[in-house]
């Protein structure tokens, strides 16, 4: 480790010590979501199940609740739900990463845990340089930097980052999020036999390609994987215009389903579908775990979307990860389900096996709490209208006549309401995770998902209302804290 690296890591540790009591005292801190010990967290990085331990790294600015020269923070877990904070994995100490060890991924090779990430460099005038870098570890905790393995190819601007690496047959592949010199977002493929020499295979798709018209000026955090016989490309495009209920956030995250021909480096794919229809969801990353499941974490935030309005800033921290989710391909749609292990975090439960939800609205004894899971299912008939009010801060509304599902919330700095919506014909079930200042809604077993931050001012109380006095089952569990 260089002296500079040691020094930066020490400063980060001091920053954690300095503010940890303030972070701990925040009523909005989360019990069962990964959050930064201090400062700003953004993208999930290097998510891997390695030698019997789950590792999740994250983009981290320890010094401010704003973006800057990112570190890689690190959590590990034996069971995917209780997490332990580990030493900082990467600090931006070298010339090729001096303005940030940006996002990337992890692989297992030769008994080592190898990280590929983007070295971000900016000069005084704000001119950018980008380098794809490698770091390795034998114990999964301490990393040795191996330096730059890939420089910027011709035809792209320096917005070229977030390498995701995987193996196919006997070769390694890397997909990178890019911007062409014509300001078009692209996903760019490379191939390597030794993980050090990388051959450019070309942009496999992107804005203004043979399969897409205008589709954003930059693509971030691509992830390409095989699921149920299909090649799925997840990506976070920037610059999509809002249309109808779509693309309402500042930036989007979604996927294409198709087939990647590795011989010709061509990807035939269908249309883009947003992964999450709520307010805060970006830069998801996936991996396959010991049981063969395709798992996903995402950043529960969106770049430049009310980032300076979060009340947690007063307590020296901002942002969190989503809960871990398992991906399933159902027809031509990716379903997201909370991982099974999350049920291990359940403690006290309250169950209403057959409750009539009235048209006037009602609360239910015991259906409340700061960190809870809620399942509403077994409807005796299809509800025409169903609402849940959450602490006068958020509201969930299903309207069958309009085939519309809505999540409303109060803005972070005023009582004004904002909405996110998606088309939905029928409501069969709702699974809701509430964690002091977040909500994740899984509709009809993960057919649609809404993720958002909410900042209730009082106790977290829920009330229910339905259009036609509908009978259903409502269960609630308190959720344990995941921090050791
Ligand atoms: C996405 C992103 C990535 C970049 C990282 C920097 O949120 O902008 O493209 O690598 O964050 O923190």
């Amino acid at each position: 480790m260089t002296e500079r690296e040691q020094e930066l890591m020490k400063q980060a540790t001091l920053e954690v010590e300095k503010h940890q009591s303030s972070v701990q005292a925040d009523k909005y801190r989360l019990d069962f979501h990964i959050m930064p010990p201090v400062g700003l967290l953004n993208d999930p990085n290097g998510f891997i199940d390695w030698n019997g331990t789950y590792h999740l790294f994250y983009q981290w600015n320890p010094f401010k609740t704003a973006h800057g020269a990112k570190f890689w923070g690190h959590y590990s877990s034996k069971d995917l739900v209780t997490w332990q904070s580990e030493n900082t994995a990467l600090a931006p100490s070298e010339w090729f990463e001096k303005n940030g060890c940006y996002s990337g991924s992890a692989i297992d090779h030769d008994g080592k845990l190898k990280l590929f990430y983007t070295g971000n460099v900016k000069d005084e005038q704000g001119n950018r340089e980008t380098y794809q870098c490698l770091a390795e570890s034998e114990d999964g905790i301490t990393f040795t930097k191996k330096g730059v393995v890939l420089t910027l190819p011709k035809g792209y601007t320096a917005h070229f980052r977030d390498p995701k690496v995987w193996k196919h047959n006997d070769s390694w592949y890397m997909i990178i999020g890019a911007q062409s010199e014509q300001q078009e977002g692209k996903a760019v493929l490379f191939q390597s036999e030794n993980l050090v020499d990388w051959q450019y295979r070309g942009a496999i798709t992107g804005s203004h390609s043979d399969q897409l018209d205008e589709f954003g000026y930059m693509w971030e955090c691509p992830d390409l994987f095989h699921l149920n016989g299909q090649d799925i490309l997840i990506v976070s495009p920037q610059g999509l215009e809002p249309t109808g209920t779509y693309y309402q956030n500042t930036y989007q995250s979604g996927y294409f389903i198709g087939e990647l021909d590795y011989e010709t480096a061509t990807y035939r794919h269908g249309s883009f579908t947003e992964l999450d229809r709520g307010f805060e969801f970006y830069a998801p990353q996936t991996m396959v775990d010991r049981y063969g499941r395709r798992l996903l974490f995402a950043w529960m935030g969106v770049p430049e979307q009310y980032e300076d309005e979060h009340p947690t800033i007063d307590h020296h921290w901002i942002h969190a990860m989503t809960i871990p989710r398992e991906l399933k391909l159902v027809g031509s749609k990716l379903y997201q389900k909370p991982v099974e292990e999350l049920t291990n975090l359940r403690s006290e439960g309250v169950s209403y096996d057959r409750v009539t939800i009235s048209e006037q609205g009602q609360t239910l004894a015991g259906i409340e709490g700061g960190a809870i899971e809620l399942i509403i299912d077994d409807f005796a008939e299809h509800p025409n209208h169903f609402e849940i009010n959450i602490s006068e801060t958020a509201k969930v509304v299903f309207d069958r006549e309009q085939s519309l599902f809505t999540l409303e919330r109060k803005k972070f700095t005023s009582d004004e309401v904002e909405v996110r919506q998606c088309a939905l014909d029928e409501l069969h079930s709702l699974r809701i995770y509430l964690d002091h200042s977040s909500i994740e809604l899984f509709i009809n077993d993960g057919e649609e998902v809404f993720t958002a931050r909410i900042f209730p001012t009082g106790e977290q109380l829920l009330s229910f209302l339905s259009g036609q006095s509908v009978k259903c089952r409502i269960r609630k569990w308190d959720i344990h804290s995941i921090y050791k």
Side-chain angles (χ1 to χ4, degrees):
M1 207 187 274
T2 61
E3 244 173 68
R4 172 90 187 126
E5 200 174 2
Q6 263 173 27
E7 177 55 28
L8 284 171
M9 291 202 178
K10 197 169 107 202
Q11 284 173 17
T13 309
L14 288 174
E15 204 64 18
V16 174
E17 285 166 8
K18 188 158 120 202
H19 294 302
Q20 88 193 341
S21 55
S22 167
V23 177
Q24 299 283 344
D26 189 1
K27 66 172 176 181
Y28 292 131
R29 67 170 286 118
L30 300 159
D31 271 350
F32 60 93
H33 287 82
I34 286 177
M35 53 174 272
V38 68
L40 176 144
L41 165 152
N42 56 304
D43 312 351
N45 292 158
F47 184 28
I48 193 168
D49 181 2
W50 190 68
N51 289 350
T53 302
Y54 291 98
H55 293 266
L56 182 71
F57 304 84
Y58 59 94
Q59 285 288 283
W60 185 34
N61 185 355
F63 306 119
K64 282 190 294 182
T65 49
H67 295 273
K70 299 290 166 61
F71 290 56
W72 275 39
H74 185 189
Y75 282 101
S76 74
S77 173
K78 292 282 175 207
D79 60 7
L80 198 55
V81 287
T82 49
W83 294 88
Q84 177 159 335
S85 178
E86 300 288 359
N87 292 343
T88 306
L90 301 174
S93 55
E94 309 306 312
W95 68 268
F96 50 80
E97 56 181 18
K98 75 178 176 61
N99 300 93
C101 298
Y102 272 13
S103 286
S105 55
I107 54 156
D108 167 34
H109 184 59
D110 273 350
K112 293 196 181 107
L113 178 56
K114 298 189 182 228
L115 306 180
F116 290 88
Y117 64 99
T118 299
N120 181 49
V121 175
K122 271 185 195 167
D123 69 14
E124 242 98 273
Q125 286 76 46
N127 297 317
R128 215 181 257 269
E129 290 165 29
T130 176
Y131 301 95
Q132 312 315 313
C133 313
L134 170 64
E136 358 177 289
S137 173
E138 287 182 4
D139 61 3
I141 304 295
T142 312
F143 290 85
T144 308
K145 288 178 186 163
K146 297 284 164 184
V148 178
V149 294
L150 201 158
T151 55
L152 183 64
K154 283 203 179 60
Y156 299 92
T157 75
H159 287 288
F160 192 88
R161 53 179 173 264
D162 312 332
K164 178 86 197 298
V165 176
W166 74 99
K167 198 175 196 176
H168 177 77
N169 292 339
D170 286 330
S171 270
W172 294 98
Y173 292 87
M174 177 191 285
I175 190 97
I176 287 195
Q179 177 179 65
S180 71
E181 279 174 345
Q182 292 72 39
Q183 321 285 309
E184 306 149 330
K186 302 279 180 191
V188 183
L189 187 70
F190 291 81
Q191 182 176 356
S192 173
E193 308 313 315
N194 59 10
L195 293 168
V196 176
D197 305 302
W198 289 90
Q199 186 202 344
Y200 176 75
R201 300 291 312 270
I204 58 161
T205 186
S207 187
H208 296 283
S209 58
D210 55 351
Q211 294 178 86
L212 290 170
D213 298 329
E214 167 55 37
F215 214 75
Y217 56 82
M218 169 64 189
W219 284 16
E220 295 190 315
C221 299
D223 188 349
L224 211 165
F225 55 88
H226 202 66
L227 187 69
N228 282 26
Q230 302 286 331
D231 295 312
I232 296 176
L233 172 66
I234 287 184
V235 72
S236 296
Q238 302 190 317
L240 305 186
E241 288 299 321
T243 37
T245 60
Y246 299 108
Y247 314 153
Q248 293 295 315
N249 289 333
T250 306
Y251 304 122
Q252 275 57 54
S253 280
Y255 61 92
F256 299 97
I257 299 179
E259 196 182 336
L260 178 65
D261 183 337
Y262 284 86
E263 293 301 312
T264 57
T266 46
Y267 181 53
R268 306 255 20 119
H269 62 79
S271 56
F272 182 76
T273 308
E274 281 173 275
L275 266 166
D276 192 286
R277 309 304 302 273
F279 295 89
E280 273 87 25
F281 182 95
Y282 197 71
Q285 190 175 84
T286 75
M287 63 98 175
V288 176
D289 83 338
R290 62 195 74 167
Y291 307 114
R293 298 177 296 182
R294 178 62 59 177
L295 303 177
L296 172 147
F297 267 107
W299 170 26
M300 195 153 52
V302 172
E304 294 159 55
Q305 183 175 282
Y306 327 121
E307 286 194 86
D308 49 5
E309 294 177 9
H310 288 231
T312 63
I313 288 173
D314 295 343
H315 285 264
H316 304 280
W317 72 281
I318 182 169
H319 299 314
M321 293 296 168
T322 62
I323 50 171
R325 304 167 182 187
E326 181 179 355
L327 292 181
K328 294 256 169 139
L329 191 60
V330 181
S332 58
K333 184 135 200 195
L334 269 186
Y335 278 46
Q336 295 177 67
K337 298 188 183 198
V339 297
E340 186 58 36
E341 288 90 330
L342 282 161
T343 59
N344 300 335
L345 296 177
R346 290 174 178 168
S347 60
E348 289 303 296
V350 175
S351 176
Y352 290 84
D353 288 339
R354 206 106 186 110
V355 60
T356 306
I357 299 302
S358 71
E359 292 154 64
Q360 289 77 45
Q362 68 202 86
T363 55
L364 293 168
I367 307 284
E368 61 189 24
I372 61 173
E373 176 191 351
L374 198 69
I375 300 184
I376 302 148
D377 58 4
D378 238 349
F379 287 97
E381 54 186 307
H382 290 305
N384 291 331
H385 186 95
F386 194 83
E387 276 185 37
I388 310 173
N389 188 316
I390 300 149
S391 314
E392 308 298 329
T393 310
K395 202 197 259 184
V396 170
V397 183
F398 170 63
D399 188 312
R400 195 169 174 216
E401 204 179 315
Q402 295 186 67
S403 292
L404 202 59
F405 190 96
T406 305
L407 173 66
E408 284 180 24
R409 76 163 177 206
K410 272 191 190 156
K411 289 194 168 176
F412 295 164
T413 50
S414 76
D415 279 349
E416 228 179 290
V417 163
E418 49 188 352
V419 301
R420 292 291 181 268
Q421 300 184 300
C422 76
L424 190 79
D425 291 335
E426 277 176 7
L427 180 65
H428 302 290
S429 69
L430 268 178
R431 188 161 173 194
I432 306 178
Y433 285 88
L434 288 170
D435 191 359
H436 301 286
S437 61
S438 72
I439 177 165
E440 281 155 290
L441 264 169
F442 297 83
I443 305 163
N444 297 346
D445 283 321
E447 178 187 347
E448 297 289 353
V449 185
F450 285 69
T451 302
R453 297 302 298 280
I454 52 172
F455 297 102
T457 44
E459 290 295 294
Q460 208 136 258
L461 296 172
L462 292 113
S463 64
F464 301 83
L465 182 148
S466 104
Q468 85 264 48
S469 286
V470 79
K471 283 196 180 60
C472 62
R473 175 170 69 169
I474 299 186
R475 287 171 291 165
K476 176 227 116 176
W477 294 267
D478 291 327
I479 300 290
H480 285 298
S481 170
I482 62 169
Y483 292 98
K484 286 208 175 133

